[in-house]
Amino acid sequence: MEFTRTEAPYLTPSVNVAGMMLQVLLALVPAALAHMWYFGPGILFNLVVAAVFCVAGEALMMHARGRDPMLALADYSALVTAALLAFAVPSLTPWWVTATGALFGVVVAKHLYGGIGFNLFNPAMAGYVVILVAFPLQMNLWVAPSMGDIDYISLSIAQTLVYTLTGNLPDTLTFDAVSRATPLDAMQTGLRDLQTYAEIRANPIMGDFGGRGWEWIGNFVAVGGFWLLIRKIIRWQIPTGVFLGLLVPAGIMYLADPSTHASPGFHLFSGATILCAFFIATDPVSAATSPKGRFLYGLGIGFLTFVMRRWGAYADGVAFAVLLMNMATPAIDYFTRPHIVGHPRGRRNQ
Amino acid sequence: MSAPTYDLGKLHGGIRLESGKSAATRNSIQKMPLPAQLIIPITQHVGDPAHSIVTIGERVLKGQLIAEPGGSLSAPVHASSSGKVVAIEPWPVSRRYGANAPCIVIECDGEDRAIEPAVTQAAYDMLSADELLARILQGGIVGLGGAVFPTAQKLMQALTCDLKYLLLNGVECEPYISCDDMLMREYAREVLGGARILMHALQLDVCYIVVESDKPLALQSLGEQLAELGDKRIVLKQVPTIYPSGGEDQLVQLVTNLEVPSGGLPTDVGCLVQNVGTASAIYDWIVHGKPLLSRVTTVTGDGVVNPMNVEARIGTLVGDIIRFAGGYTESAQQLIIGGPMTGKSMSTDLVPLVKASNCILVLSRAPSIGAKSPCIRCGDCAAVCPVQLLPQQLYWYSCADDEKKLRLHGLTDCIECGCCDLVCPSHIPLTAEFRVAKARIQEQADEKARAERARSRFEARNERIESEQRARDAELEQQRATAKRIGPAEIAAILQRKQQQQDKD
């Protein structure tokens, strides 16, 4: 009898990349529903646009690289990029804006670097930053969150779809009527105009912590994030690092001067902090890879986000912070190699 | 009975694997009847090969020496039963590297007649350490955990160190394997006896017998025997069931919280580790004069009809053992000698059982080959690595063939346990990759050494030619000087003398 010969070990892993990516997508569902509740169906359209272009870009690039497109599509990583991009853009975004981000992320940031596993930068954030710079007007148009606003105007599903497809609002509406500054925007401009923190907070969009709607979406993102932690799809080092890196300096500054600095609670619940900590910074490919390195990587993202929010030109600094730290990962990995069992402690294995 | 204790050092990583051991442990150890033919590899240990001392056609008795140790790190081999040597020829064996090896083929006469013991049995505690070690060497005893390092030499090395603990390894952490479990259940007296012999030989006062928590019956049996024996120096230790806590260095770290230095041995931190099966074999040899002629092996997996533990003679064909265990199921696909994590995959079952064979595993599932996708650097491999390496980085540098970075990231410290393979979502055969990379680094080092030797040879040759040239030049110079001094007449006389001499010759 002839037996099949292979190399040890002979047991097969029970996990696969596609399964991990699917769980990440699943973990985003509660947050997506919350997003729709507060900001309307826009995110759904953005998700469809991003998914179509991410998948198309991936297939095209695999074909151009002479590989089987199904190999890459089967791991669902393009869909994760699409989902993160859909969360990053405003709920009202014309399709070509989202498409540009999706294509740049997948084609340039991912495949021109060698595809999944080889991309230096987080594809979703690279795509987002490109459209943030290229389409400043569209990327700053956030509709007001529903609930409680007296002059609140909501767009119907059809009107949202028309805007996504054409970039035109109904004739009766203007941009000013539907859009509001995001809490982060309001905070940044307010502080720049020498308003006190208390004055800025009086604005009803500020909600309880980080802005109406935003804080609740943040909670649902965190639910998904904790689920991923329990499932061990992500590990604790990066989220902890991001939170500490952002909240500790924010807390110190707030305690030192509460009138000109936002509270740590505001920083935590506004913008993309929680999404970044659990879903964006944890992209394993572009993150540092040693356990200690991952903590430092998260810490860096948190700290840079704080600096950019407070003193930068853009309201939220998450995307830039992630890309900057992506660049630092090879160095972080080099300097944070764990102690190898059996080697002398305290001295680097040179 | 003395209760097993937990007070354990920290071991990084590891995984809880589905044990798969229950199928083979339902029944007691089954004694396999004598086969018609025994194929006994001449070398069954790591180190210098042994030499055959029998000739074709010679009649041998059970326990008779048939191969002598062939070097300072070597072990003898005995005939597992009586019969006639019919061939000495290469045969496929289950070694980790290499294919065929010379084997002595014995046609059994079925009488199983034993040779008269050459040495009269003296109580072992009357013997000195040197005498004991010499006796152990003669017994052909090697490490039965799978490493098959000659036991006597391991003990000799240990005697030169400052030892504190003797650790008996009954962890058996790899899935499916249960031969040590069964051995501890049924031969607890022999295991403890072996421990006492080892302690006597090494002048040690502390022995830990370390058993994984999934073997309560083995612990119970050892505990009962220990209570009967009343030896306070021997302590049972129960360790959590985590693979690979049975690795030698891992076991030391787990029990003593000491790290075995990179490239070093457990004796560097005062520990000597022996498998429980080895201890039992030492007892059988020293006390009963029975050399290592058989071993308990686990025949299991979903490709075997009746999984069981079998005590079979060294040299029995694996195929015969599987037939004894009911034969293959229809779905049998893969034959592995050893466990599912570190064993060796065989293409044929016509291989003999050797001292190292602790398990014969037949799996029904077709192994998946080539289904890997790119590494996404998730780091799950680093989380389970017991040596705390970063397999994701090693893989990266291995693909890039960056020897310096591979060394920096501790490739040579990899114990090839296979944990990283098992958690890899990209299904990358990391362990196989590292084995290749290690071999490549070794090859490069050898190549470098060869080049270095060639260079020094070349330089020596140049040096020699130069000095010869210098000597010739000096001689010529001297001749010229002489010629100048003595003048043409004298030279003519010398030439003439030389001419005459040549004519005479």
Side-chain angles (χ1 to χ4, degrees):
Chain A
M1 180 161 178
E2 190 76 11
F3 297 95
T4 325
R5 280 197 60 188
T6 52
E7 287 272 336
Y10 308 97
L11 305 176
T12 35
S14 53
V15 284
N16 57 47
V17 176
M20 292 172 75
M21 296 291 172
L22 271 182
Q23 293 186 58
V24 171
L25 288 174
L26 211 59
L28 280 170
V29 169
L33 292 176
H35 203 285
M36 285 165 71
W37 176 264
Y38 287 105
F39 293 105
I43 189 170
L44 210 60
F45 298 133
N46 296 336
L47 188 62
V48 172
V49 173
V52 165
F53 281 91
C54 280
V55 166
E58 180 120 316
L60 216 67
M61 284 310 283
M62 284 299 276
H63 182 73
R65 292 170 60 207
R67 283 152 211 235
D68 180 10
M70 281 320 290
L71 267 182
L73 296 178
D75 68 20
Y76 304 116
S77 61
L79 288 182
V80 172
T81 302
L84 294 178
L85 194 63
F87 268 94
V89 297
S91 53
L92 282 185
T93 304
W95 70 268
W96 60 88
V97 175
T98 315
T100 307
L103 284 177
F104 185 86
V106 168
V107 173
V108 178
K110 187 176 180 184
H111 277 282
L112 289 189
Y113 278 85
I116 187 167
F118 298 93
N119 46 308
L120 182 58
F121 296 104
N122 184 316
M125 289 303 101
Y128 173 70
V129 162
V130 163
I131 52 178
L132 190 63
V133 176
F135 303 97
L137 180 69
Q138 287 88 338
M139 293 299 283
N140 276 307
L141 182 82
W142 278 91
V143 293
S146 73
M147 295 169 77
D149 241 344
I150 302 148
D151 50 42
Y152 174 72
I153 300 163
S154 73
L155 291 180
S156 69
I157 295 178
Q159 286 169 326
T160 310
L161 185 60
V162 167
Y163 182 81
T164 308
L165 291 176
T166 65
N168 294 325
L169 287 171
D171 294 340
T172 52
L173 291 174
T174 61
F175 283 123
D176 286 346
V178 289
S179 75
R180 286 286 180 285
T182 66
L184 274 173
D185 257 329
M187 183 64 66
Q188 205 176 38
T189 25
L191 291 173
R192 201 169 288 147
D193 296 345
L194 302 179
Q195 289 176 291
T196 66
Y197 179 55
E199 280 176 292
I200 304 166
R201 282 223 56 109
N203 188 333
I205 61 161
M206 286 300 174
D208 296 323
F209 286 105
R212 174 163 302 146
W214 294 94
E215 47 205 23
W216 276 103
I217 296 172
N219 285 337
F220 284 104
V221 174
V223 167
F226 280 115
W227 184 69
L228 288 184
L229 271 178
I230 292 167
R231 306 276 307 160
K232 291 196 173 161
I233 303 294
I234 60 173
R235 294 182 186 268
W236 62 271
Q237 286 92 344
I238 292 178
T240 314
V242 172
F243 289 135
L244 288 180
L246 174 62
L247 300 184
V248 169
I252 293 171
M253 297 304 267
Y254 179 69
L255 286 178
D257 187 358
S259 63
T260 60
H261 290 280
S263 74
F266 175 79
H267 276 291
L268 177 61
F269 283 105
S270 62
T273 309
I274 301 178
L275 187 71
C276 168
F278 288 115
F279 289 89
I280 300 172
T282 50
D283 163 40
V285 178
S286 55
T289 191
S290 67
K292 211 190 295 174
R294 287 186 166 173
F295 181 69
L296 287 178
Y297 170 82
L299 219 53
I301 289 175
F303 182 70
L304 288 175
T305 302
F306 168 73
V307 170
M308 285 188 250
R309 278 184 182 177
R310 182 61 188 82
W311 293 287
Y314 288 93
D316 204 350
V318 161
F320 294 103
V322 168
L323 293 180
L324 281 173
M325 290 311 288
N326 284 165
M327 285 190 240
T329 51
I332 294 176
D333 279 336
Y334 182 84
F335 288 109
T336 55
R337 281 168 287 134
H339 159 79
I340 298 172
V341 173
H343 284 256
R345 277 190 189 273
R347 199 157 52 83
R348 285 256 155 252
N349 173 26
Q350 291 302 343
Chain B
M1 76 182 254
S2 67
T5 58
Y6 280 103
D7 56 335
L8 301 165
K10 270 193 297 183
L11 185 66
H12 183 264
I15 13 182
R16 285 173 199 277
L17 291 168
E18 211 173 304
S19 85
K21 299 186 192 227
S22 57
T25 53
R26 253 177 245 132
N27 294 311
S28 56
I29 299 172
Q30 308 290 310
K31 273 212 166 61
M32 166 129 183
L34 207 57
Q37 210 178 38
L38 291 166
I39 291 121
I40 304 176
I42 294 172
T43 300
Q44 297 187 36
H45 54 265
V46 295
D48 310 315
H51 301 304
S52 161
I53 56 163
V54 288
T55 48
I56 295 172
E58 189 176 334
R59 296 217 147 262
V60 292
L61 295 171
K62 174 183 170 185
Q64 183 180 333
L65 194 68
I66 54 172
E68 266 181 352
S72 56
L73 181 60
S74 194
V77 177
H78 302 81
S80 317
S81 183
S82 60
K84 198 171 95 179
V85 176
V86 291
I88 301 175
E89 59 187 13
W91 199 272
V93 293
S94 56
R95 268 196 318 210
R96 186 71 169 279
Y97 305 104
N100 293 8
C103 295
I104 298 170
V105 183
I106 297 173
E107 211 169 73
C108 300
D109 55 18
E111 295 170 25
D112 208 21
R113 263 179 304 132
I115 195 169
E116 290 291 313
V119 195
T120 47
Q121 301 302 320
Y124 70 85
D125 43 10
M126 305 301 286
L127 297 173
S128 72
D130 287 346
E131 287 169 316
L132 255 179
L133 293 194
R135 292 274 298 129
I136 289 172
L137 179 64
Q138 289 162 6
I141 292 164
V142 295
L144 296 183
V148 287
F149 193 89
T151 303
Q153 281 88 337
K154 188 171 178 176
L155 297 176
M156 263 174 232
Q157 193 274 334
L159 275 175
T160 64
C161 303
D162 184 19
L163 280 192
K164 287 198 265 316
Y165 309 109
L166 169 66
L167 303 181
L168 281 203
N169 188 345
V171 172
E172 202 171 45
C173 53
E174 256 193 88
Y176 290 107
I177 312 179
S178 54
C179 61
D180 286 348
D181 184 7
M182 296 308 288
L183 183 102
M184 287 186 285
R185 291 188 203 180
E186 298 185 26
Y187 297 102
R189 182 194 301 274
E190 283 77 1
V191 171
L192 293 171
R196 289 167 62 139
I197 296 172
L198 285 167
M199 284 162 77
H200 173 72
L202 298 167
Q203 301 296 312
L204 278 175
D205 287 326
V206 191
C207 169
Y208 294 128
I209 301 183
V210 193
V211 183
E212 239 177 24
S213 55
D214 66 346
K215 303 174 183 58
L217 292 175
L219 277 164
Q220 187 190 347
S221 169
L222 283 170
E224 281 165 10
Q225 284 296 329
L226 195 54
E228 210 172 287
L229 212 59
D231 194 332
K232 290 274 182 288
R233 303 171 303 165
I234 302 176
V235 178
L236 285 186
K237 265 194 194 291
Q238 192 179 343
V239 296
T241 310
I242 293 174
Y243 179 83
S245 45
E248 203 172 56
D249 296 358
Q250 284 63 48
L251 187 77
V252 169
Q253 199 184 346
L254 198 55
V255 174
T256 65
N257 210 9
L258 296 169
E259 290 178 12
V260 176
S262 170
L265 294 168
T267 47
D268 293 337
V269 291
C271 296
L272 179 79
V273 184
Q274 287 289 355
N275 177 265
V276 286
T278 316
S280 162
I282 290 173
Y283 180 85
D284 282 342
W285 169 237
I286 298 295
V287 175
H288 298 306
K290 289 194 284 189
L292 185 49
L293 304 181
S294 65
R295 71 156 296 149
V296 181
T297 189
T298 308
V299 190
T300 189
D302 47 11
V304 172
V305 174
N306 295 319
M308 58 170 72
N309 274 282
V310 177
E311 186 172 349
R313 301 290 167 93
I314 304 293
T316 312
L317 281 181
V318 161
D320 290 339
I321 299 177
I322 290 170
R323 258 185 295 285
F324 178 68
Y328 298 104
T329 61
E330 275 182 19
S331 55
Q333 287 261 356
Q334 200 171 22
L335 172 68
I336 296 150
I337 308 289
M341 299 298 288
T342 61
K344 166 93 178 152
S345 171
M346 306 302 300
S347 55
T348 169
D349 61 3
L350 295 176
V351 291
L353 181 84
V354 290
K355 293 172 184 175
S357 318
N358 51 4
C359 184
I360 297 163
L361 178 61
V362 187
L363 296 176
S364 68
R365 122 185 55 89
S368 57
I369 308 164
K372 70 170 184 178
S373 52
C375 168
I376 58 165
R377 299 161 67 75
C378 65
D380 286 354
C381 48
V384 298
C385 179
V387 197
Q388 222 171 323
L389 301 174
L390 296 172
Q392 72 273 46
Q393 298 289 74
L394 285 173
Y395 176 65
W396 185 272
Y397 295 126
S398 166
C399 291
D401 200 9
D402 186 339
E403 189 200 328
K404 194 166 157 253
K405 284 276 170 55
L406 282 171
R407 285 186 188 281
L408 180 69
H409 283 81
L411 176 70
T412 48
D413 291 291
C414 168
I415 60 166
E416 298 174 24
C417 63
C419 283
C420 47
D421 281 56
L422 240 58
V423 296
C424 180
S426 300
H427 298 202
I428 300 169
L430 291 161
T431 311
E433 187 79 35
F434 298 155
R435 266 198 291 270
V436 173
K438 275 184 188 172
R440 210 164 46 212
I441 283 191
Q442 188 59 47
E443 216 171 87
Q444 281 165 356
D446 291 350
E447 183 63 37
K448 219 170 155 185
R450 257 202 307 280
E452 185 59 32
R453 275 201 302 277
R455 194 177 62 83
S456 57
R457 252 203 319 275
F458 178 70
E459 280 173 359
R461 176 175 165 274
N462 281 355
E463 180 68 25
R464 196 182 64 235
I465 291 171
E466 261 172 46
S467 72
E468 279 170 8
Q469 187 65 42
R470 270 198 303 276
R472 268 201 301 277
D473 288 351
E475 202 180 338
L476 210 61
E477 193 57 39
Q478 204 190 344
Q479 281 174 1
R480 279 205 194 103
T482 318
K484 235 180 232 169
R485 202 180 61 231
I486 57 180
E490 295 273 350
I491 294 171
I494 292 172
L495 283 177
Q496 203 177 0
R497 213 163 46 239
K498 281 225 164 142
Q499 191 65 48
Q500 282 169 0
Q501 210 160 18
Q502 267 173 20
D503 290 347
K504 226 185 278 171
D505 292 343

